[in-house]
Amino acid sequence: MKKIRYPALERKWYRCPKCGTKLAIFDNATKCNGLYIKCRTCKEEVEINI
């Protein structure tokens, strides 16, 4: 039996854990592991694990 994939129902911002700046927008169907983004405000490198 196949699983039914539902559309994205909720979108959220991923925020920097140090300063709270909005870095990326994602929805509830997102799976991310080991993505590194540099924060434009505090210049820290942040690993995203969703």
Side-chain angles (χ1 to χ4, degrees):
M1 198 169 197
K2 292 184 179 180
K3 282 190 170 184
I4 298 173
R5 297 190 73 199
Y6 294 103
L9 301 175
E10 184 179 2
R11 296 180 76 178
K12 294 181 181 179
W13 281 100
Y14 188 84
R15 295 181 173 264
C16 176
K18 301 234 179 198
C19 65
T21 302
K22 295 177 183 176
L23 297 177
I25 193 165
F26 65 95
D27 58 26
N28 61 345
T30 304
K31 292 182 182 176
C32 181
N33 198 3
L35 177 67
Y36 290 92
I37 294 180
K38 188 172 184 179
C39 179
R40 59 187 174 270
T41 305
C42 67
K43 308 295 187 216
E44 292 289 324
E45 192 171 277
V46 179
E47 181 181 7
I48 297 178
N49 289 319
I50 300 173

